[in-house]
Amino acid sequence: ASTKIEEFGAFGDVNAVKSLCVELEKEFDQAKFDTLKDEEGFVTKEQLMELLKDEAPAPSEAAEEPVVKGPITIALTALKETIANTIANGLTPLIVDSSKEHAVDTFFSYSGVMIDVKQLSLNVSMKKITKEDALEKAREGFVSSMQNGRTMVVSMQQGSPSFNDWFNTPTEWPIEAIATKAGKPLTIQSEKGEGGDEGNTKSEYGNGIPKAVMREKDLAKHHGFAVVQESFEIVFTTWFSVEDYEEFLFDEGRGLSKLNKDLFQVIIIKEDEA
């Protein structure tokens, strides 16, 4: 557009301006022209350049809309697409499914790796297993998900596991890393890491978190490397109602209370479609 105006010449009358508007695919504004023209009915090239600047959108208007982090309600059929969009936006899906069928967990039981953190926590409370046993069971599922590039489902059901207490360790269940960006940072390799000198370094995944969680038998699967497949991702699910989930998960002392709620995108499944 500015090139066309540069070719306009020093002055132009109404017909010249109308022709220019046609070339630039802009609507001719007679009232604006009348305010700019001189006594002989001409406008200058500089005046047209200023008009063009006035029509350019302000930076704030052209900026992309921010990611909405408030709860969203969807049909079950939109779940896969919504999860993909959530992860692409750098958030971890927290899916609220209070239906009797618990269709979301049922779906993931076929396609993902389910970590039943409610049952593990309950078994510890009832002294059926030790905390160490529960952490090892969760760790095994975590490692399997990373190495095989599957979706790890943190199934809380109608429970609020002690993620701010014993159920949070750097070498079994690092909850902050698990809850951050759906675990995707764990799939990223650094340029330097596990190796020795500058000329003989080995790429390391996830700032060393996967290697800390994996054991020697796990590392043997990839010749000593703590490999995390790119398709690996994490979602959280709960069976609490829309009215109750925030209180039972995020209130002071509850399972997710020490995590920033902004890490999550709450996805509510319509009850009549779950």
Side-chain angles (χ1 to χ4, degrees):
S2 59
T3 303
K4 290 290 184 184
I5 294 176
E6 287 292 343
E7 298 170 358
F8 182 73
F11 298 91
D13 62 9
V14 64
N15 292 325
V17 174
K18 284 182 177 179
S19 296
L20 182 64
C21 286
V22 171
E23 287 189 62
L24 298 178
E25 297 182 349
K26 295 182 180 295
E27 186 177 351
F28 175 72
D29 190 332
Q30 182 68 58
K32 188 173 290 186
F33 178 85
D34 289 341
T35 61
L36 293 174
K37 68 181 181 181
D38 61 16
E39 293 180 355
E40 296 180 1
F42 287 85
V43 295
T44 67
K45 177 170 62 179
E46 288 71 25
Q47 286 173 313
L48 284 177
M49 292 290 283
E50 286 301 312
L51 277 176
L52 186 65
K53 290 180 182 177
D54 291 343
E55 290 184 7
S60 59
E61 296 173 342
E64 293 183 5
E65 294 183 4
V67 175
V68 177
K69 294 183 180 179
I72 56 176
T73 301
I74 65 166
L76 183 61
T77 52
L79 181 61
K80 289 183 70 174
E81 180 182 0
T82 304
I83 287 174
N85 290 338
T86 295
I87 294 174
N89 286 330
L91 300 174
T92 300
L94 170 54
I95 305 167
V96 179
D97 175 16
S98 57
S99 66
K100 291 181 181 179
E101 296 81 9
H102 309 304
V104 172
D105 275 13
T106 300
F107 167 76
F108 280 121
S109 68
Y110 294 101
S111 61
V113 176
M114 302 291 294
I115 312 295
D116 190 342
V117 293
K118 181 208 172 182
Q119 190 62 53
L120 290 173
S121 297
L122 183 62
N123 287 345
V124 169
S125 298
M126 296 177 68
K127 300 187 184 303
K128 289 185 176 181
I129 60 174
T130 65
K131 293 176 182 177
E132 291 74 19
D133 290 338
L135 285 166
E136 177 58 19
K137 185 72 173 177
R139 186 199 70 81
E140 289 174 352
F142 184 21
V143 169
S144 174
S145 302
M146 288 191 287
Q147 291 190 323
N148 295 294
R150 300 183 68 189
T151 300
M152 183 175 82
V153 183
V154 183
S155 175
M156 297 180 289
Q157 302 169 33
Q158 287 178 311
S160 189
S162 302
F163 293 146
N164 55 6
D165 189 19
W166 64 268
F167 215 144
N168 177 21
T169 64
T171 55
E172 284 84 21
W173 193 256
I175 189 59
E176 189 167 350
I178 289 170
T180 298
K181 297 183 178 181
K184 282 299 185 181
L186 301 179
T187 69
I188 299 173
Q189 285 182 279
S190 58
E191 293 183 1
K192 298 177 183 178
E194 298 172 355
D197 57 65
E198 284 283 328
N200 186 29
T201 58
K202 297 179 182 179
S203 296
E204 186 174 61
Y205 286 83
N207 291 323
I209 293 172
K211 187 180 180 184
V213 173
M214 294 183 189
R215 305 297 183 253
E216 188 174 344
K217 62 179 181 179
D218 305 317
L219 296 172
K221 183 175 182 178
H222 292 102
H223 309 287
F225 288 93
V227 173
V228 182
Q229 301 296 338
E230 187 177 355
S231 54
F232 168 70
E233 61 189 20
I234 300 170
V235 303
F236 285 63
T237 66
T238 178
W239 296 356
F240 282 124
S241 68
V242 174
E243 295 78 19
D244 293 338
Y245 79 86
E246 192 164 6
E247 174 187 351
F248 286 106
L249 295 180
F250 291 104
D251 273 9
E252 183 66 29
R254 300 291 186 174
L256 303 181
S257 60
K258 290 190 177 180
L259 292 172
N260 187 339
K261 283 195 288 187
D262 287 343
L263 292 172
F264 298 96
Q265 171 65 68
V266 175
I267 302 169
I268 300 168
I269 305 298
K270 292 180 183 177
E271 289 192 36
D272 58 341
E273 300 195 40

